[in-house]
Amino acid sequence: MEKKERNKWTQKFRELGKKKGSRKDFVKLYKEMKNFKDQNKKDVNQEDENIVLMK
């Protein structure tokens, strides 16, 4: 994850903490972050495979 993306997730967690979010809310946000991170990894891997195939 890039630095801007980490900052975005940090801000979301801080806002949720200020709102006195429940544990369920934090778990939901964490799962959303993990899915986003996994999707980015898939995209990067596909790009790498495409570059290798082009060579």
Side-chain angles (χ1 to χ4, degrees):
M1 290 189 333
E2 293 181 19
K3 188 173 183 176
K4 290 180 182 179
E5 292 169 353
R6 282 186 291 201
N7 188 28
K8 175 178 79 172
W9 292 107
T10 301
Q11 291 299 329
K12 285 186 178 187
F13 276 103
R14 286 180 180 164
E15 289 173 14
L16 191 57
K18 287 179 184 177
K19 293 182 198 174
K20 305 291 184 192
S22 67
R23 183 178 188 279
K24 185 177 179 181
D25 294 335
F26 280 98
V27 170
K28 182 179 174 184
L29 182 58
Y30 179 77
K31 286 181 180 179
E32 180 184 332
M33 180 182 68
K34 288 293 282 184
N35 288 337
F36 183 79
K37 183 178 177 183
D38 291 341
Q39 184 63 37
N40 280 349
K41 280 186 179 180
K42 285 182 183 178
D43 292 344
V44 169
N45 287 338
Q46 287 177 353
E47 288 176 9
D48 289 344
E49 288 176 8
N50 289 340
I51 292 171
V52 169
L53 292 174
M54 294 171 83
K55 288 184 179 181

